[in-house]
Amino acid sequence: MSKIPVMELFGPTIQGEGMVIGRKTMFVRTAGCDYACVWCDSAFTWNGTEKHRVRMMEPEEVLDEMVALGGNRFNHVTITGGNPALIADPMARFIDLCHQRGYRVGLETQGSRMQEWFLQIDDLTISPKPPSSRMETDWAVLDRIVRRLHDDGVNLSLKVVVFGDEDVEYAKTVFARYPYVSQKFVQPGNELVTEAKDISHHLLARLAWLFQVAIDTPEFNTVRVLPQLHAMVWSNERER
Amino acid sequence: MSKIPVMELFGPTIQGEGMVIGRKTMFVRTAGCDYACVWCDSAFTWNGTEKHRVRMMEPEEVLDEMVALGGNRFNHVTITGGNPALIADPMARFIDLCHQRGYRVGLETQGSRMQEWFLQIDDLTISPKPPSSRMETDWAVLDRIVRRLHDDGVNLSLKVVVFGDEDVEYAKTVFARYPYVSQKFVQPGNELVTEAKDISHHLLARLAWLFQVAIDTPEFNTVRVLPQLHAMVWSNERER
Ligand code: SF4
Ligand code: SF4
């Protein structure tokens, strides 16, 4: 495959979560995922409902469209999915093109597999999925990926989306397993991903809950608790 | 003076804004400010209304009280005010004590003056005040402080609170003046600091406005737009 299966390409917008929260970025959302989290907020990338919208694009085309959309109003690009780690060479090429233009490149992926181009990423978030997702973490694979990225000096963060107490325990396990990763995040899960209306009240209540969990938990002393700002500001609006 | 004028000492809670947004911390809020911003959200630290609550404390006492409150549930301390930069030796001693215990120490100050102990701070935010505050920036002083901190390798951020278009222009000026400071933040001002009720809706509308400003502004390509999460979650509740 020499092309990238692009589900959405949009921006500039504001990264609403995680290690570069608040920073302006363009989003490239790839189609396809090896997981099927029950609460996935991007299920349209893999459940077939929007298959007709997927475009197979050359890396150069993706870059051109991004520049057409964003002009000089951005210098950061976020690759997300689905799971972008399913894509090999064309993604490496795309990242090179971005770097040639002076853009920083971020990635969000669950850590179920790795590509060599991960080592070129400027802001990399591994987001292992907790029990509420109904997915199983392959710890041996995750161990190898996190270790490799850390040893290579990649700017790496771990982020766990948390819906309830069992997920809190999972987050503790993840953070304890990789003590050498200093950037650690928890994020309240969005239970209303199909709701079109203003969900900010609900999200703030979930954030208050997770704040309190962190306050009470010594294991979260260095963990940062952050919401999804975009969902609070723009609800579940697509391509925002 | 060998003591610290402490207005409030509370936590653990979650840092709601700026460079360590989302991180658990203890707050030490000092009394006294050389500014009098019209929209100051901590005017009780300097306008005399709560003078009777100020406690003159030895650095060791501050540490002890902090540990009594937080136990093993924190390892980060945020010094704020008022303007903590008005305090010399006892603050240096307090920071030493924190470091001996293994805590990281953050500081928020407006950049009107500097203390040698700034160089010991782990997460330092300089927050110059825009025109809406009715304060005047002394650029010569600010230049010296920012340069010194940068040259000394301090983990430094610039944060500008923004109420309207004139403040946006001021923020651009600040960021352009110190291009070597890579961590830059803008934050929507809170116009309802005396409101006791839920103000999250208003704050989210202001955040949406500032998101759009950033999206449209090439000068904000590397600037991060962040709200005050604590005010969204806990309104203007004190000591949260
Ligand atoms: S890994 Fe991410 S994209 Fe894939 S199913 Fe889970 S939440 Fe959705
Ligand atoms: S510098 Fe800070 S504490 Fe002082 S008056 Fe202004 S906002 Fe208030």
Side-chain angles (χ1 to χ4, degrees):
Chain A
M1 184 168 71
S2 73
K3 298 193 177 187
I4 301 173
V6 175
M7 185 81 237
E8 292 181 334
L9 197 171
F10 61 96
T13 186
I14 305 295
Q15 170 60 269
E17 60 186 74
M19 70 192 299
V20 288
I21 189 170
R23 179 160 177 164
K24 186 158 51 167
T25 193
M26 301 292 300
F27 279 93
V28 178
R29 187 186 299 286
T30 60
C33 192
D34 47 326
Y35 273 22
C37 303
V38 291
W39 39 249
C40 178
D41 61 1
S42 311
F44 56 89
T45 59
W46 53 263
N47 67 8
T49 51
E50 301 194 11
K51 221 173 163 179
H52 58 284
R53 287 185 62 223
V54 179
R55 293 183 293 157
M56 299 304 296
M57 295 174 78
E58 301 279 352
E60 287 77 5
E61 286 178 88
V62 179
L63 186 82
D64 288 349
E65 191 165 316
M66 231 169 49
V67 173
L69 277 170
N72 68 341
R73 293 175 298 126
F74 73 100
N75 58 18
H76 191 280
V77 177
T78 302
I79 300 166
T80 187
N83 187 4
L86 301 181
I87 304 153
D89 296 351
M91 195 57 92
R93 168 93 186 122
F94 174 66
I95 293 162
D96 273 352
L97 291 171
C98 286
H99 283 155
Q100 283 164 27
R101 301 278 297 219
Y103 307 146
R104 278 180 77 92
V105 182
L107 169 72
E108 170 139 351
T109 183
Q110 66 262 43
S112 59
R113 57 180 74 190
M114 149 128 199
Q115 295 284 351
E116 283 305 300
W117 54 258
F118 279 24
L119 303 177
Q120 308 310 320
I121 294 290
D122 302 293
D123 304 301
L124 201 162
T125 296
I126 298 280
S127 187
K129 302 306 171 193
S132 64
S133 71
R134 311 260 173 88
M135 298 296 111
E136 288 274 351
T137 302
D138 185 330
W139 294 103
V141 170
L142 188 61
D143 287 353
R144 265 200 312 276
I145 294 176
V146 174
R147 169 52 70 186
R148 178 87 195 280
L149 294 171
H150 177 75
D151 287 353
D152 225 76
V154 173
N155 180 29
L156 172 67
S157 77
L158 293 167
K159 185 180 73 179
V160 180
V161 172
V162 163
F163 281 79
D165 295 339
E166 211 189 343
D167 292 353
V168 169
E169 293 308 311
Y170 177 87
K172 286 186 202 170
T173 304
V174 169
F175 299 144
R177 196 169 179 106
Y178 311 111
Y180 50 83
V181 178
S182 60
Q183 300 184 81
K184 300 184 280 287
F185 298 87
V186 287
Q187 172 181 304
N190 179 356
E191 280 142 342
L192 303 174
V193 288
T194 57
E195 173 61 62
K197 279 183 269 177
D198 180 1
I199 54 172
S200 61
H201 235 86
H202 173 75
L203 296 177
L204 282 169
R206 298 307 294 158
L207 183 60
W209 164 73
L210 198 50
F211 274 6
Q212 195 57 52
V213 168
I215 287 169
D216 296 337
T217 306
E219 292 93 332
F220 283 0
N221 280 358
T222 64
V223 173
R224 290 165 71 179
V225 186
L226 292 178
Q228 294 183 295
L229 291 177
H230 52 287
M232 295 207 294
V233 167
W234 293 313
S235 304
N236 290 313
E237 224 175 288
R238 286 276 291 277
E239 314 211 350
R240 280 311 290 259
Chain B
M1 183 167 74
S2 72
K3 298 192 176 186
I4 301 173
V6 175
M7 185 83 237
E8 293 181 334
L9 197 171
F10 61 96
T13 185
I14 304 296
Q15 169 60 268
E17 59 187 75
M19 69 194 297
V20 288
I21 188 168
R23 178 161 177 163
K24 185 158 53 166
T25 192
M26 299 293 298
F27 278 93
V28 178
R29 188 185 298 287
T30 60
C33 192
D34 47 325
Y35 274 22
C37 303
V38 292
W39 38 248
C40 178
D41 61 0
S42 311
F44 56 90
T45 60
W46 52 264
N47 67 8
T49 51
E50 301 193 10
K51 223 174 161 178
H52 58 285
R53 287 185 63 224
V54 180
R55 292 184 293 157
M56 299 305 296
M57 296 173 79
E58 300 280 354
E60 287 77 5
E61 286 179 88
V62 180
L63 186 82
D64 289 349
E65 191 165 316
M66 231 168 50
V67 173
L69 276 170
N72 68 341
R73 292 174 300 127
F74 74 100
N75 58 17
H76 191 280
V77 177
T78 302
I79 301 167
T80 187
N83 187 3
L86 302 180
I87 303 154
D89 295 351
M91 196 58 93
R93 167 94 186 122
F94 174 66
I95 294 161
D96 274 351
L97 291 171
C98 286
H99 283 155
Q100 283 164 28
R101 301 279 298 220
Y103 307 147
R104 278 180 79 91
V105 182
L107 169 72
E108 169 137 353
T109 184
Q110 67 261 43
S112 59
R113 55 181 74 191
M114 148 128 200
Q115 297 283 352
E116 282 305 300
W117 54 257
F118 279 24
L119 303 177
Q120 307 310 319
I121 294 290
D122 303 294
D123 303 302
L124 201 162
T125 296
I126 298 280
S127 184
K129 301 305 170 192
S132 64
S133 71
R134 311 262 172 87
M135 298 296 111
E136 288 275 351
T137 302
D138 185 331
W139 293 103
V141 170
L142 188 61
D143 287 353
R144 266 200 312 277
I145 294 175
V146 174
R147 169 53 69 184
R148 177 87 195 281
L149 295 171
H150 177 75
D151 287 354
D152 225 77
V154 173
N155 181 29
L156 172 68
S157 78
L158 293 167
K159 184 180 75 180
V160 181
V161 172
V162 163
F163 282 79
D165 295 339
E166 213 189 341
D167 292 353
V168 169
E169 291 309 310
Y170 176 88
K172 285 186 202 168
T173 304
V174 168
F175 299 143
R177 197 169 179 107
Y178 312 111
Y180 50 84
V181 178
S182 60
Q183 301 184 80
K184 300 184 281 289
F185 297 88
V186 288
Q187 172 180 305
N190 177 357
E191 281 140 342
L192 303 174
V193 287
T194 57
E195 173 62 61
K197 280 181 267 175
D198 181 0
I199 54 172
S200 62
H201 235 86
H202 174 74
L203 295 177
L204 282 169
R206 296 309 292 160
L207 184 60
W209 164 73
L210 199 50
F211 274 5
Q212 195 57 52
V213 168
I215 288 168
D216 295 337
T217 305
E219 291 93 332
F220 283 0
N221 280 358
T222 63
V223 173
R224 290 164 69 178
V225 186
L226 292 178
Q228 295 184 294
L229 292 177
H230 53 288
M232 294 206 297
V233 167
W234 293 313
S235 306
N236 291 313
E237 224 177 289
R238 288 276 291 278
E239 314 211 349
R240 278 313 287 263

Short mmCIF file of all heavy atoms in Angstrom, two decimals, chain B residues 29 32-43 45-46 81-83 108-110 127 129 133 135, ligand 2:
data_model
loop_
_atom_site.label_atom_id
_atom_site.label_comp_id
_atom_site.label_asym_id
_atom_site.label_seq_id
_atom_site.Cartn_x
_atom_site.Cartn_y
_atom_site.Cartn_z
N ARG B 29 -0.75 30.62 48.82
CA ARG B 29 -1.07 31.94 48.26
C ARG B 29 -0.60 33.03 49.22
O ARG B 29 -1.08 33.11 50.36
CB ARG B 29 -2.58 32.07 48.03
CG ARG B 29 -2.96 33.34 47.27
CD ARG B 29 -4.47 33.55 47.15
NE ARG B 29 -5.17 32.51 46.42
CZ ARG B 29 -5.12 32.34 45.10
NH1 ARG B 29 -4.39 33.16 44.36
NH2 ARG B 29 -5.80 31.38 44.53
N GLY B 32 -0.37 40.32 49.46
CA GLY B 32 0.35 41.49 48.97
C GLY B 32 0.60 41.45 47.48
O GLY B 32 0.94 40.40 46.92
N CYS B 33 0.35 42.59 46.81
CA CYS B 33 0.65 42.69 45.39
C CYS B 33 1.03 44.12 45.05
O CYS B 33 0.47 45.07 45.62
CB CYS B 33 -0.54 42.25 44.53
SG CYS B 33 -0.09 42.02 42.79
N ASP B 34 2.00 44.27 44.14
CA ASP B 34 2.41 45.60 43.68
C ASP B 34 1.51 46.07 42.52
O ASP B 34 1.66 47.20 42.04
CB ASP B 34 3.88 45.58 43.26
CG ASP B 34 4.24 44.39 42.37
OD1 ASP B 34 3.67 43.29 42.56
OD2 ASP B 34 5.09 44.54 41.48
N TYR B 35 0.62 45.23 42.06
CA TYR B 35 -0.35 45.59 41.03
C TYR B 35 -1.74 45.70 41.68
O TYR B 35 -1.93 45.33 42.84
CB TYR B 35 -0.43 44.50 39.95
CG TYR B 35 0.57 44.62 38.83
CD1 TYR B 35 1.76 45.34 38.97
CD2 TYR B 35 0.33 43.99 37.60
CE1 TYR B 35 2.68 45.42 37.92
CE2 TYR B 35 1.25 44.06 36.55
CZ TYR B 35 2.42 44.77 36.72
OH TYR B 35 3.32 44.84 35.68
N ALA B 36 -2.69 46.18 40.89
CA ALA B 36 -4.08 46.22 41.33
C ALA B 36 -4.96 46.06 40.09
O ALA B 36 -5.70 46.96 39.71
CB ALA B 36 -4.38 47.53 42.06
N CYS B 37 -4.85 44.91 39.46
CA CYS B 37 -5.61 44.66 38.22
C CYS B 37 -7.11 44.80 38.50
O CYS B 37 -7.60 44.28 39.51
CB CYS B 37 -5.32 43.26 37.70
SG CYS B 37 -3.55 42.96 37.40
N VAL B 38 -7.81 45.47 37.58
CA VAL B 38 -9.23 45.72 37.84
C VAL B 38 -10.04 44.42 37.92
O VAL B 38 -11.04 44.36 38.62
CB VAL B 38 -9.88 46.65 36.77
CG1 VAL B 38 -9.30 48.06 36.88
CG2 VAL B 38 -9.71 46.10 35.37
N TRP B 39 -9.58 43.40 37.21
CA TRP B 39 -10.32 42.14 37.22
C TRP B 39 -9.65 41.06 38.08
O TRP B 39 -9.93 39.87 37.92
CB TRP B 39 -10.54 41.61 35.80
CG TRP B 39 -9.41 41.78 34.83
CD1 TRP B 39 -9.38 42.59 33.74
CD2 TRP B 39 -8.12 41.09 34.83
NE1 TRP B 39 -8.19 42.47 33.06
CE2 TRP B 39 -7.41 41.56 33.70
CE3 TRP B 39 -7.52 40.15 35.66
CZ2 TRP B 39 -6.11 41.11 33.39
CZ3 TRP B 39 -6.24 39.71 35.37
CH2 TRP B 39 -5.55 40.19 34.25
N CYS B 40 -8.77 41.47 38.96
CA CYS B 40 -8.02 40.51 39.79
C CYS B 40 -8.96 39.50 40.45
O CYS B 40 -9.94 39.88 41.09
CB CYS B 40 -7.24 41.25 40.87
SG CYS B 40 -6.34 40.11 41.97
N ASP B 41 -8.66 38.22 40.29
CA ASP B 41 -9.51 37.19 40.91
C ASP B 41 -9.02 36.83 42.31
O ASP B 41 -9.58 35.94 42.95
CB ASP B 41 -9.62 35.94 40.03
CG ASP B 41 -8.28 35.28 39.78
OD1 ASP B 41 -7.25 35.77 40.29
OD2 ASP B 41 -8.25 34.26 39.06
N SER B 42 -8.00 37.53 42.77
CA SER B 42 -7.48 37.30 44.13
C SER B 42 -7.28 38.63 44.84
O SER B 42 -6.33 38.81 45.60
CB SER B 42 -6.14 36.56 44.08
OG SER B 42 -6.23 35.42 43.25
N ALA B 43 -8.19 39.57 44.60
CA ALA B 43 -8.04 40.92 45.16
C ALA B 43 -8.00 40.90 46.68
O ALA B 43 -7.39 41.77 47.31
CB ALA B 43 -9.18 41.82 44.67
N THR B 45 -6.17 39.31 48.39
CA THR B 45 -4.77 39.19 48.84
C THR B 45 -4.13 40.55 49.07
O THR B 45 -3.08 40.65 49.71
CB THR B 45 -3.89 38.41 47.83
OG1 THR B 45 -3.90 39.11 46.57
CG2 THR B 45 -4.35 36.98 47.64
N TRP B 46 -4.74 41.60 48.49
CA TRP B 46 -4.08 42.91 48.58
C TRP B 46 -5.02 44.09 48.87
O TRP B 46 -4.56 45.17 49.18
CB TRP B 46 -3.31 43.22 47.28
CG TRP B 46 -4.12 43.09 46.01
CD1 TRP B 46 -4.16 41.99 45.20
CD2 TRP B 46 -4.99 44.05 45.40
NE1 TRP B 46 -5.00 42.20 44.12
CE2 TRP B 46 -5.53 43.46 44.23
CE3 TRP B 46 -5.38 45.36 45.72
CZ2 TRP B 46 -6.43 44.14 43.38
CZ3 TRP B 46 -6.28 46.04 44.88
CH2 TRP B 46 -6.79 45.41 43.72
N GLY B 81 -0.20 34.22 44.31
CA GLY B 81 -0.50 35.37 45.16
C GLY B 81 -1.82 36.00 44.79
O GLY B 81 -2.72 35.29 44.32
N GLY B 82 -1.90 37.37 44.86
CA GLY B 82 -0.83 38.27 45.13
C GLY B 82 0.41 38.06 44.26
O GLY B 82 0.36 37.34 43.29
N ASN B 83 1.46 38.75 44.65
CA ASN B 83 2.73 38.57 43.97
C ASN B 83 3.79 38.03 44.92
O ASN B 83 4.36 38.77 45.71
CB ASN B 83 3.21 39.90 43.36
CG ASN B 83 4.44 39.69 42.48
OD1 ASN B 83 4.89 38.55 42.30
ND2 ASN B 83 4.99 40.78 41.96
N GLU B 108 3.67 31.33 40.05
CA GLU B 108 2.99 32.23 39.11
C GLU B 108 3.19 33.66 39.59
O GLU B 108 2.89 33.99 40.74
CB GLU B 108 1.50 31.89 39.01
CG GLU B 108 0.73 32.97 38.28
CD GLU B 108 -0.29 32.44 37.28
OE1 GLU B 108 -0.34 31.23 37.02
OE2 GLU B 108 -1.05 33.29 36.77
N THR B 109 3.67 34.52 38.69
CA THR B 109 3.94 35.91 39.03
C THR B 109 3.85 36.75 37.76
O THR B 109 3.98 36.23 36.66
CB THR B 109 5.34 36.04 39.69
OG1 THR B 109 5.55 37.39 40.10
CG2 THR B 109 6.45 35.62 38.74
N GLN B 110 3.64 38.05 37.92
CA GLN B 110 3.36 38.88 36.74
C GLN B 110 4.61 39.40 36.02
O GLN B 110 4.50 39.99 34.94
CB GLN B 110 2.44 40.05 37.11
CG GLN B 110 3.05 41.08 38.04
CD GLN B 110 2.60 40.83 39.47
OE1 GLN B 110 2.56 39.69 39.94
NE2 GLN B 110 2.24 41.88 40.18
N SER B 127 3.25 35.95 33.95
CA SER B 127 1.95 36.30 33.38
C SER B 127 1.79 37.82 33.32
O SER B 127 1.18 38.43 34.19
CB SER B 127 0.87 35.67 34.26
OG SER B 127 -0.40 35.89 33.71
N LYS B 129 0.47 41.45 32.51
CA LYS B 129 -0.94 41.83 32.52
C LYS B 129 -1.29 42.75 31.35
O LYS B 129 -0.64 43.77 31.13
CB LYS B 129 -1.27 42.53 33.85
CG LYS B 129 -1.00 41.66 35.08
CD LYS B 129 -1.72 40.31 35.04
CE LYS B 129 -1.25 39.38 36.16
NZ LYS B 129 -1.71 37.99 35.99
N SER B 133 -6.37 45.08 32.27
CA SER B 133 -6.09 45.09 33.71
C SER B 133 -5.91 46.50 34.24
O SER B 133 -5.94 46.73 35.44
CB SER B 133 -4.83 44.28 34.01
OG SER B 133 -3.68 44.97 33.55
N MET B 135 -3.12 47.95 34.16
CA MET B 135 -1.73 48.05 34.62
C MET B 135 -0.83 48.35 33.43
O MET B 135 -1.19 48.06 32.29
CB MET B 135 -1.28 46.74 35.29
CG MET B 135 -2.08 46.38 36.52
SD MET B 135 -1.89 47.58 37.87
CE MET B 135 -3.54 48.32 37.89
S1 SF4 C 2 -0.91 40.87 39.45
FE1 SF4 C 2 -2.22 39.12 39.93
S2 SF4 C 2 -2.65 39.24 42.15
FE2 SF4 C 2 -1.78 41.22 41.51
S3 SF4 C 2 -3.61 42.48 41.10
FE3 SF4 C 2 -3.01 41.57 39.13
S4 SF4 C 2 -4.20 39.66 38.97
FE4 SF4 C 2 -4.29 40.34 41.13
#
